Amino acid sequence: MNTAIIDCNAFQTACPDAFEGVIGTVNRLTKSDARAGSASEAQAYCDCFSNCMNYMVVYERNQSQNSSDNCFDKSLSAGVPSSDLNFRRLVLADSEVPTAQRRLGDGGKVLPMLGHTCMSCEAIQGNEAGFVHALAGLAATSGIALILAAGSEMLEIKFHSRLCSLFVLIVDLVVTVELFGAVIIAAILMAMAIVACDPDSLSKIVEDGGRDSTDGDPDRAAAFTSFFLKLLSPLMQGLCAQFSKFSVYLMIALLGMLASTWSAIATCCVCMGCTNDGKGTSHDDVKAEELRALMGSG
């Protein structure tokens, strides 16, 4: 499965130039003047942003926290004026707790694959690779196991001895467990892709981040919001583009899991005598009786 959710090299290349544009906009400077006066600060901010792609969510409630991953401080140092975020809070009048507050704009959302703890660009790439390798590994091992199980059924190996019967049953159970894991991972990734395909899931967060990163001036907030959209949109678009792959994988894994589960249940039922198999004279009844006898249930 080939995925390309984010390109960290492209992000790190595009960020300084884009952020210098923000500095120029908020300070009424040309980009060349902004670059001349704040090139090192812009690079420092972009290095921070690359190390904490979701800093606008992680440090939203404590923008002044002393941390190398707190990029609010880096943008302030680069010349982007900011104000106390407490001026932009909304008290929920209908809350059971009178002091409960929420951020304006973000609605409590987080960026898919990021959450509430700092995630670097490289970590996102690593997680992406880890998920893909896990799905590929589960698909490969489950496929091999299913081939073994199908071959055993065709050659009627499970009728040779109790050990062979147990082997076929164990293979079905192993496949069921592996495909259950694959279904869970694929479902999580598909859910993330669904969120990523919703334009509001990113816009609400970056709009709030744009306000938090500036002094409340609409033009300055809009400039920072546009910057966030330019840098983070490829992440969301890359994840959204994988929706069809994740959904197809999920469907196939689910069908395989149901088939292997049914096979294991059917074998157990025949062995325990909880079906009518073995009570007639057909070929299937004879084989069912042989299997029951092998497993010591006859």
Side-chain angles (χ1 to χ4, degrees):
M1 184 184 298
N2 181 30
T3 61
I5 293 177
I6 188 169
D7 183 344
C8 290
N9 290 330
F11 174 88
Q12 291 162 353
T13 299
C15 181
D17 183 69
F19 191 63
E20 286 164 1
V22 174
I23 296 173
T25 299
V26 300
N27 292 289
R28 310 291 198 277
L29 300 172
T30 64
K31 183 175 285 190
S32 59
D33 289 339
R35 179 178 295 111
S38 305
S40 61
E41 289 83 359
Q43 186 61 57
Y45 169 82
C46 288
D47 290 341
C48 178
F49 194 2
S50 180
N51 287 329
C52 189
M53 298 283 288
N54 54 333
Y55 80 88
M56 72 291 295
V57 174
V58 176
Y59 294 102
E60 181 182 33
R61 297 182 182 277
N62 193 1
Q63 296 178 16
S64 60
Q65 181 176 333
N66 185 18
S67 172
S68 61
D69 293 328
N70 183 3
C71 305
F72 285 112
D73 282 343
K74 303 294 189 301
S75 65
L76 185 61
S77 298
V80 180
S82 181
S83 61
D84 192 333
L85 68 91
N86 287 319
F87 287 111
R88 298 192 298 279
R89 288 192 181 277
L90 176 67
V91 177
L92 298 179
D94 58 347
S95 173
E96 295 180 0
V97 182
T99 58
Q101 296 174 324
R102 68 172 174 84
R103 295 297 304 124
L104 288 174
D106 66 355
K109 293 178 178 292
V110 297
L111 293 168
M113 295 189 73
L114 300 183
H116 288 286
T117 58
C118 272
M119 287 283 291
S120 68
C121 190
E122 289 75 14
I124 296 172
Q125 281 188 328
N127 286 350
E128 171 195 350
F131 279 129
V132 172
H133 291 160
L135 291 177
L138 289 171
T141 55
S142 298
I144 293 172
L146 284 171
I147 291 173
L148 288 174
S152 299
E153 290 290 344
M154 291 180 63
L155 299 174
E156 298 186 342
I157 291 177
K158 67 180 179 181
F159 298 107
H160 291 183
S161 67
R162 178 182 295 183
L163 182 62
C164 291
S165 298
L166 287 173
F167 169 76
V168 174
L169 179 59
I170 291 172
V171 167
D172 284 334
L173 294 175
V174 168
V175 170
T176 298
V177 172
E178 286 195 341
L179 289 179
F180 177 76
V183 165
I184 296 298
I185 295 174
I188 293 173
L189 292 174
M190 191 176 74
M192 289 182 179
I194 291 173
V195 174
C197 291
D198 177 12
D200 288 340
S201 65
L202 177 61
S203 63
K204 288 182 179 179
I205 295 173
V206 299
E207 286 171 7
D208 188 54
R211 286 190 292 267
D212 286 346
S213 301
T214 56
D215 58 359
D217 180 84
D219 292 336
R220 292 171 174 171
F224 225 117
T225 297
S226 297
F227 165 76
F228 281 140
L229 285 172
K230 180 179 180 180
L231 271 294
L232 295 176
S233 289
L235 169 64
M236 304 294 279
Q237 292 168 357
L239 183 56
C240 178
Q242 307 305 319
F243 172 77
S244 59
K245 295 179 182 178
F246 293 145
S247 58
V248 170
Y249 186 102
L250 175 62
M251 181 182 66
I252 294 174
L254 186 59
L255 289 174
M257 185 188 73
L258 293 175
S260 59
T261 301
W262 178 255
S263 177
I265 291 174
T267 299
C268 291
C269 285
V270 169
C271 293
M272 291 185 295
C274 56
T275 69
N276 290 326
D277 296 294
K279 297 181 180 179
T281 59
S282 68
H283 176 75
D284 290 339
D285 287 322
V286 172
K287 289 298 180 182
E289 185 61 31
E290 288 180 12
L291 181 60
R292 192 175 301 158
L294 280 173
M295 300 301 289
S297 301

